[in-house]
Amino acid sequence: DALPILINVQVQDSNDNEPKFGQTTYKATVKENSVIGNNVVTIKATDLDEGPNGDVQYFFGAHTSDLVKNVFSVNSNSGEITVIGQIDYEETKVYRFDVTAKDKGTPELDGHSSVQVTILDENDNAPEISLTSPPSSLTEDAPIGTVVALINVKDPDSADNGKVQVNVASGSPFKLKPSFENHYSLVTDAVLDRETYPEYNVHVSAYDSGSPSLKTNTVIKVKILDIND
Ligand code: CA
Ligand code: CA
Ligand code: CA
């Protein structure tokens, strides 16, 4: 009788599975001016192989722009994507980039996914007031409604953060008349008196509707010319 022969077969894992991401796109939202080190999203891929064949590391996709790499980093071991640079909503409102998971097999296999980071606006810009023409001098008999200057207000923030209201300090013989969007005419609103005020300092304030609201003040100097009265 032949003795039974024991054959010891060792099944060695071959690298036949690529890392697979849990999602085809990872979506996240981040506030602008987010603190360096803030977590954005964590990407995760699984690999059914064993040992190095199943050991996954994470990277940016091959064609990721510096614009993205200057602002975000991918932790190759944990898959955690964090903020590493200045995020400005007024510059970039959404970032899209590809990510890769690679195993440590020979040859290595990889899997792919993408990340979309939407930036949320913060009220980080105060309104700007600018004169679109230098203020003209007035004669003291200027009729009510005479245009003195043209004003433009701007605020690059979005929605309420960029919605601007502008007014002249109360008690002034001037007022603002809206013309077209964000443009105003500074006009006389009362009889002027050169003997009392040869020059008026018109205090103009602009404030946005963000919370907290940001405000800008400016002074427009208007000269009153004498007429022989
Ligand atoms: Ca593998
Ligand atoms: Ca902003
Ligand atoms: Ca603003």
Side-chain angles (χ1 to χ4, degrees):
D1 284 5
L3 288 168
I5 301 167
L6 289 175
I7 303 171
N8 189 355
V9 179
Q10 274 207 322
V11 178
Q12 282 231 305
D13 180 44
S14 67
N15 194 14
D16 48 7
N17 294 284
E18 74 271 15
K20 284 202 173 80
F21 276 103
Q23 297 179 32
T24 50
T25 305
Y26 289 84
K27 288 184 178 172
T29 53
V30 172
K31 284 182 183 174
E32 68 169 316
N33 307 317
S34 221
V35 174
I36 306 286
N38 260 12
N39 175 256
V40 177
V41 67
T42 301
I43 54 175
K44 171 95 181 126
T46 50
D47 187 312
L48 297 174
D49 295 315
E50 289 182 347
N53 290 340
D55 203 353
V56 173
Q57 287 196 301
Y58 303 92
F59 305 93
F60 281 120
H63 304 292
T64 307
S65 71
D66 286 344
L67 194 80
V68 169
K69 288 178 175 172
N70 290 340
V71 172
F72 301 113
S73 81
V74 180
N75 183 307
S76 60
N77 294 315
S78 67
E80 194 183 2
I81 295 175
T82 51
V83 174
I84 58 159
Q86 175 76 26
I87 296 182
D88 183 5
Y89 176 87
E90 283 70 46
E91 291 263 305
T92 308
K93 292 173 175 52
V94 59
Y95 291 88
R96 290 184 189 88
F97 52 93
D98 292 331
V99 285
T100 304
K102 292 179 182 170
D103 64 28
K104 293 175 180 168
T106 316
E108 65 176 24
L109 295 176
D110 51 26
H112 303 276
S113 183
S114 64
V115 176
Q116 177 180 314
V117 185
T118 302
I119 308 304
L120 302 175
D121 183 40
E122 294 272 284
N123 192 16
D124 58 345
N125 293 282
E128 286 168 33
I129 304 170
S130 55
L131 283 168
T132 50
S133 66
S136 45
S137 301
L138 292 176
T139 54
E140 56 185 318
D141 65 348
I144 288 172
T146 302
V147 175
V148 182
L150 299 173
I151 289 171
N152 173 237
V153 292
K154 258 192 285 197
D155 188 316
D157 295 312
S158 72
D160 281 354
N161 291 337
K163 206 162 128 194
V164 180
Q165 289 196 285
V166 59
N167 58 36
V168 170
S170 59
S172 164
F174 297 91
K175 71 170 185 183
L176 286 168
K177 232 176 88 180
S179 51
F180 55 102
E181 200 191 354
N182 291 331
H183 287 75
Y184 298 84
S185 306
L186 181 68
V187 299
T188 57
D189 193 34
V191 173
L192 306 170
D193 181 4
R194 187 184 188 278
E195 273 67 51
T196 323
Y197 303 103
E199 184 179 79
Y200 282 90
N201 289 328
V202 185
H203 292 261
V204 176
S205 304
Y207 51 96
D208 63 33
S209 303
S211 54
S213 167
L214 296 175
K215 188 176 174 183
T216 299
N217 300 307
T218 193
V219 176
I220 299 169
K221 290 179 188 300
V222 180
K223 279 198 164 60
I224 309 302
L225 304 173
D226 198 10
I227 55 162
N228 191 10
D229 59 352

